Amino acid sequence: MSAQQTAGRVARSDALEHLARVGLVAYGVVHLLIAWLALQLAWGGGNGSADQSGALQTVASEPFGRPLLWVLGVGLIALALWQAAEVLRYTGGLSGSGDAKKKAVTGVVKCVGKVVVYAFLAFSALRFATGGGSSSSAEQQQTTSGTFGLPGGRFLVGVAGLVVIGVGVYQVVKGLRKKFLEEIDTSSASPQQVRVVERLGQVGYVAKGAAFVVVGGLLAYAAITFDPSKATGLDGAMHTILQAPFGQWLLTLVALGIAAFGVFCFFRARYPQRT
């Protein structure tokens, strides 16, 4: 049996699909919690980090929070495996040429990126479930500091910042051009639901992309100033937005956009893309 056939069987597995749906819901919940923390930060009532570590810490601090984090972690692992199966599905096109090869390369890059994101978030959820979670901002600063010690480390950090900025711009374009509709099967949804999905996706991806651009900008600034403390991740990006002119309202808009993305993830779980 070929890798593509194996990938197809894995991706069509009912058990994996159900777990992937849990993962999509978990992904949405994390974004809703980040949005809530950002709103608290904007209006002076937040003490936790407005990023994924703050969101996971919020869940861990609640009754039955740690068992819930185990469920979220397993679901996110399934979501990563689902995307990994997609990588195998695209590998056959890599040996082709022209548009077919370009489409295959693009598909592999996107899927690998999603696998990394989902796997990292799953790992973080399981760490918090076992009481070993830590601040994402602190971890990024430590990683940046360690990278500075490598030959060409400053250049690597700068490139990483530019890559993150590129990802942010891509997310914004994806939202504006509605490319996210390729990731969700709304054939069984009503016209009203489709319109809601479109609006949520547009607002969500634009807001998330804007946050990524700021995160990448801070990483690039850390490389320019040779100061790892500037690489403060998403939480630092939220504080940077807050300090801008009309920052309170800008951060509120970003938070509402991230919340819209979280709800969009629920629709993705309801209408998952068929491979």
Side-chain angles (χ1 to χ4, degrees):
M1 183 179 294
S2 68
Q4 288 76 23
Q5 291 174 324
T6 301
R9 291 186 61 182
V10 171
R12 289 191 297 270
S13 167
D14 288 340
L16 182 59
E17 181 179 316
H18 292 325
L19 283 173
R21 287 174 187 259
V22 174
L24 285 168
V25 171
Y27 199 50
V29 168
V30 169
H31 281 82
L32 287 177
L33 288 172
I34 292 174
W36 172 243
L37 292 170
L39 283 174
Q40 288 184 311
L41 175 64
W43 297 98
N47 296 316
S49 298
D51 56 16
Q52 62 269 24
S53 64
L56 295 173
Q57 181 58 56
T58 299
V59 175
S61 63
E62 297 296 323
F64 305 106
R66 290 190 176 182
L68 179 58
L69 284 172
W70 278 102
V71 174
L72 299 184
V74 171
L76 287 163
I77 290 172
L79 194 54
L81 291 175
W82 207 24
Q83 287 300 315
E86 282 287 277
V87 173
L88 293 176
R89 192 168 68 89
Y90 280 111
T91 53
L94 296 176
S95 57
S97 59
D99 291 340
K101 184 173 183 178
K102 181 179 179 181
K103 182 179 179 180
V105 171
T106 302
V108 169
V109 171
K110 288 181 180 179
C111 290
V112 169
K114 290 178 182 179
V115 169
V116 172
V117 171
Y118 297 147
F120 175 77
L121 192 54
F123 176 71
S124 299
L126 295 178
R127 283 181 62 188
F128 275 96
T130 56
S134 59
S135 168
S136 298
S137 294
E139 289 181 350
Q140 182 164 323
Q141 289 173 358
Q142 291 173 1
T143 301
T144 302
S145 179
T147 305
F148 278 153
L150 300 175
R154 192 172 183 178
F155 172 76
L156 293 175
V157 172
V159 170
L162 293 177
V163 169
V164 175
I165 291 173
V167 171
V169 173
Y170 168 76
Q171 296 277 346
V172 172
V173 173
K174 184 176 182 178
L176 294 176
R177 298 181 61 184
K178 302 181 184 180
K179 297 291 288 184
F180 54 85
L181 292 176
E182 298 174 1
E183 302 175 351
I184 184 169
D185 180 8
T186 56
S187 58
S188 61
S190 68
Q192 292 81 4
Q193 289 175 321
V194 172
R195 284 195 292 271
V196 170
V197 168
E198 289 181 355
R199 296 297 176 267
L200 289 171
Q202 284 183 299
V203 174
Y205 274 100
V206 169
K208 191 175 178 182
F212 266 98
V213 169
V214 178
V215 171
L218 291 172
L219 196 56
Y221 185 57
I224 293 171
T225 59
F226 205 61
D227 183 359
S229 67
K230 305 298 183 183
T232 49
L234 183 58
D235 182 57
M238 297 298 189
H239 281 83
T240 299
I241 294 171
L242 182 61
Q243 292 166 7
F246 306 104
Q248 192 174 45
W249 294 103
L250 286 174
L251 184 55
T252 298
L253 289 175
V254 170
L256 292 176
I258 291 174
F261 182 85
V263 178
F264 172 77
C265 290
F266 296 158
F267 277 99
R268 279 196 65 195
R270 175 64 179 83
Y271 304 109
Q273 179 190 33
R274 297 292 177 177
T275 59

